[in-house]
Amino acid sequence: MSTLLRLLIIVLVHIFTSQIQSQEEYNITVKVNGLSSNEGKVFLAIYDTEEDFLENTFKGTTSSIADKTCEVVFENIPKGIYAISIFHDENDNGKMDTNFMGIPKEDYGCSNNASGFMGPPKWKDAKFELTSDTTITINL
């Protein structure tokens, strides 16, 4: 009986491992156009849930700027629903600067070129489904 149990465990582990390895992953290329200058850097973030949108990143990075544009490739992102946000940290202080009312003083944007009205963009406007290698262009 213990030999049969061991064989069953080995088969189940093999099936589980095969399913994990076959999970579909893709690349997301993010292109940002229309930055106001080549100063500072661009912060880019991917979000994988509505609850985390603009709060807790799934993946994030920074990019240098050339000719008022930048391009970043996020590799091996699992198939799913995502949204992207960016901001231009023009003074290179590591944060998005805002005025006394909380309105951003530096360029920012989201996937689908979503914009907010009297507040930040909404998840439903910025989300997209990742089912293949994808290029997202954000125009500022």
Side-chain angles (χ1 to χ4, degrees):
M1 188 64 142
S2 69
T3 303
L4 182 60
L5 183 59
R6 286 183 188 154
L7 184 59
L8 181 61
I9 290 172
I10 290 171
V11 169
L12 289 175
V13 167
H14 177 69
I15 290 171
F16 181 70
T17 306
S18 296
Q19 286 179 341
I20 289 176
Q21 290 174 351
S22 68
Q23 183 177 14
E24 297 175 72
E25 293 182 334
Y26 304 102
N27 295 338
I28 301 173
T29 301
V30 181
K31 296 180 180 183
V32 181
N33 298 319
L35 293 160
S36 58
S37 75
N38 291 327
E39 301 298 315
K41 59 186 155 217
V42 175
F43 281 70
L44 302 99
I46 298 178
Y47 305 91
D48 60 351
T49 66
E50 182 174 5
E51 295 75 31
D52 288 334
F53 184 54
L54 302 177
E55 296 293 328
N56 300 308
T57 62
F58 170 68
K59 294 214 180 226
T61 192
T62 60
S63 174
S64 59
I65 303 165
D67 298 323
K68 298 183 181 179
T69 65
C70 74
E71 183 173 317
V72 170
V73 178
F74 290 95
E75 297 179 338
N76 305 316
I77 306 297
K79 179 180 177 180
I81 305 291
Y82 297 95
I84 296 172
S85 74
I86 67 96
F87 80 91
H88 180 190
D89 183 16
E90 194 166 7
N91 61 3
D92 211 10
N93 66 352
K95 63 178 184 170
M96 179 189 281
D97 295 321
T98 59
N99 67 17
F100 71 96
M101 294 179 58
I103 298 171
K105 293 163 64 173
E106 297 174 308
D107 294 336
Y108 67 94
C110 284
S111 43
N112 299 329
N113 290 308
S115 60
F117 178 74
M118 301 297 287
K122 305 285 188 238
W123 167 263
K124 68 180 179 126
D125 298 325
K127 71 179 180 174
F128 62 92
E129 185 171 9
L130 182 65
T131 58
S132 64
D133 287 347
T134 300
T135 298
I136 300 293
T137 302
I138 299 174
N139 297 306
L140 303 177

